[in-house]
Amino acid sequence: MGQPPRIADFRSDTVTKPTQEMRRAMYEAKVGDDVYGEDPSVNRLEELGAQLLGKEAGLFVTSGTQGNLISILTHTVPGQEIILESESHVFYYEVGSAALIGGVQTRTIPGEKGVLDPDKVEAAIRTDDIHFPATGLILLENTHNRAGGAVLSIADMTALSAISKRYCIPLHLDGARIFNAAAALGIEAKQLASQVDSVMFCLSKGLCAPVGSLIVGKKDWIERARKWRKRLGGGMRQAGILAAAGIIALEQMIERLPEDHDLAQYLATGLAEIPGLDVVFPETNIILIHLKDKNWTAPKLLERLAKEGVLATEFSPTTIRFVTHKDVNQEAADYALSVIKSILS
Ligand code: TLP
């Protein structure tokens, strides 16, 4: 089989390649043994991340999945229950690690565009009954991936934060794309973070770093999280090579995220003109399309698209996800639109 004419890769913002500045910074990075706390680049990244999110301290972790798991492990004890949205990444895509490694049971509540109803959360909090597990954590996701990059507003988060405070149950935010949420709301990410006890956010999605995420929270909480990271084998040594790219991600790449949102609007507008597609208009950089034509399934259409070099992801048997990011542009969107149009017509 020959090569497709070109590649327009809308599978995820995780596919972004590091920038030249990142590669240079990685090459020149000052490093040390981070398990001894001696890597100046990691220390700088952790300080910068904590400062941006308005928290006391930060911890560089290998991935978003590891960051969420460490956060769950640090907030809870085995035998507890955590409340989270039914389609949340932690529940849907993190390989059951909260249950397997954290020993916690998940209590899922369906949200509306990723937003949990505070009354339903309150009703799900366990009372002190001999039969019940204790509720150990409430977990939010902003932006919400499976809800199509949907944004939780400050008001949504404040209402849930009030419940967490009233019941003294910690609140964790899977903020893998928190800077996309902040950009869409026109606020600073620290305003969203102020509503929760801890945040995980990714450097390796729209911010284009090759590897890594950060978790941020109170100083003593981060020290306990550091121990969990070590237990999980995540104590890296001269990790400053990676942190150097993360610093550039935070210093230079946040401000360009609106470009990804604009491109998502452009692509969604084009997709909406194609018969047979039901388009969920994006709030950020994620577009979902539902296939209305019974002759098409997501795997079948994706296979056809891939042959022409247009890549996207299956979200359900009849739903496909497109994600915009630095390494696709209007030309790639136009190409994808022309390919989809010609296949479906
Ligand atoms: N999401 C990936 C896939 O796992 C689905 C993607 O392509 O969108 N929280 C959220 C909200 C995420 O979207 C992701 C990654 C993670 C956590 C996990 O991050 P990584 O991939 O670094 O473990």
Side-chain angles (χ1 to χ4, degrees), residues 246-261:
I247 293 169
I248 306 281
L250 294 181
E251 286 179 344
Q252 298 181 10
M253 306 306 283
I254 294 172
E255 62 200 32
R256 61 155 306 287
L257 291 175
E259 289 174 34
D260 297 344
H261 299 183

Side-chain angles (χ1 to χ4, degrees), residues 11-14 62-66 68 88-90 93-94 141-146 174-177 200 202 204-205 212-213 286 313 315 321 323:
R11 282 172 302 170
S12 181
D13 43 12
T14 60
T62 57
S63 66
T65 301
Q66 191 189 55
N68 281 331
S88 60
H89 195 278
V90 166
Y93 289 121
E94 298 190 4
E141 184 175 318
N142 197 7
T143 64
H144 193 294
N145 186 342
R146 287 193 60 84
D174 174 348
R177 298 185 178 84
M200 181 289 290
C202 293
S204 63
K205 297 197 163 58
S213 295
I286 298 178
T313 347
F315 241 39
R321 182 187 78 163
V323 184

Side-chain angles (χ1 to χ4, degrees), residues 215-273:
I215 54 177
V216 294
K218 280 208 153 59
K219 212 163 181 264
D220 59 332
W221 186 85
I222 286 291
E223 281 324 303
R224 290 192 293 118
R226 192 177 291 282
K227 196 106 178 173
W228 268 116
R229 185 186 69 174
K230 188 78 182 99
R231 269 189 203 110
L232 295 176
M236 296 179 282
R237 301 295 178 173
Q238 285 72 40
I241 300 271
L242 300 173
I247 293 169
I248 306 281
L250 294 181
E251 286 179 344
Q252 298 181 10
M253 306 306 283
I254 294 172
E255 62 200 32
R256 61 155 306 287
L257 291 175
E259 289 174 34
D260 297 344
H261 299 183
D262 291 346
L263 185 63
Q265 286 297 326
Y266 179 82
L267 182 58
T269 306
L271 288 165
E273 285 165 11

Side-chain angles (χ1 to χ4, degrees), residues 84-299:
L84 70 179
E85 206 277 326
S86 306
E87 301 263 319
S88 60
H89 195 278
V90 166
F91 181 69
Y92 211 95
Y93 289 121
E94 298 190 4
V95 211
S97 60
L100 176 67
I101 303 169
V104 292
Q105 168 170 296
T106 45
R107 178 85 175 266
T108 53
I109 300 178
E112 185 63 40
K113 286 192 170 177
V115 182
L116 287 169
D117 177 340
D119 293 338
K120 289 188 184 155
V121 171
E122 188 165 9
I125 293 173
R126 300 290 195 156
T127 53
D128 188 11
D129 181 306
I130 182 123
H131 302 90
F132 293 165
T135 306
L137 180 68
I138 303 169
L139 198 147
L140 311 178
E141 184 175 318
N142 197 7
T143 64
H144 193 294
N145 186 342
R146 287 193 60 84
V151 177
L152 277 63
S153 69
I154 282 281
D156 295 330
M157 299 210 23
T158 313
L160 292 155
S161 169
I163 291 174
S164 116
K165 288 200 181 88
R166 195 169 336 129
Y167 289 86
C168 294
I169 296 169
L171 190 59
H172 172 71
L173 176 63
D174 174 348
R177 298 185 178 84
I178 192 172
F179 295 107
N180 294 84
L185 292 167
I187 60 174
E188 284 190 84
K190 64 166 73 154
Q191 289 175 259
L192 293 168
S194 69
Q195 302 303 316
V196 299
D197 297 289
S198 57
V199 184
M200 181 289 290
F201 62 94
C202 293
L203 303 165
S204 63
K205 297 197 163 58
L207 303 185
C208 307
V211 178
S213 295
L214 281 166
I215 54 177
V216 294
K218 280 208 153 59
K219 212 163 181 264
D220 59 332
W221 186 85
I222 286 291
E223 281 324 303
R224 290 192 293 118
R226 192 177 291 282
K227 196 106 178 173
W228 268 116
R229 185 186 69 174
K230 188 78 182 99
R231 269 189 203 110
L232 295 176
M236 296 179 282
R237 301 295 178 173
Q238 285 72 40
I241 300 271
L242 300 173
I247 293 169
I248 306 281
L250 294 181
E251 286 179 344
Q252 298 181 10
M253 306 306 283
I254 294 172
E255 62 200 32
R256 61 155 306 287
L257 291 175
E259 289 174 34
D260 297 344
H261 299 183
D262 291 346
L263 185 63
Q265 286 297 326
Y266 179 82
L267 182 58
T269 306
L271 288 165
E273 285 165 11
I274 302 175
L277 300 182
D278 210 348
V279 178
V280 181
F281 263 80
E283 293 178 36
T284 54
N285 68 329
I286 298 178
I287 306 154
L288 300 182
I289 58 169
H290 302 296
L291 306 177
K292 289 191 286 188
D293 182 343
K294 296 273 177 290
N295 293 315
W296 284 101
T297 62

Side-chain angles (χ1 to χ4, degrees), residues 42-63:
V42 172
N43 292 343
R44 167 92 189 101
L45 173 67
E46 290 176 347
E47 272 166 32
L48 187 61
Q51 195 188 322
L52 265 177
L53 277 284
K55 297 291 184 203
E56 288 175 11
L59 183 69
F60 186 42
V61 294
T62 57
S63 66

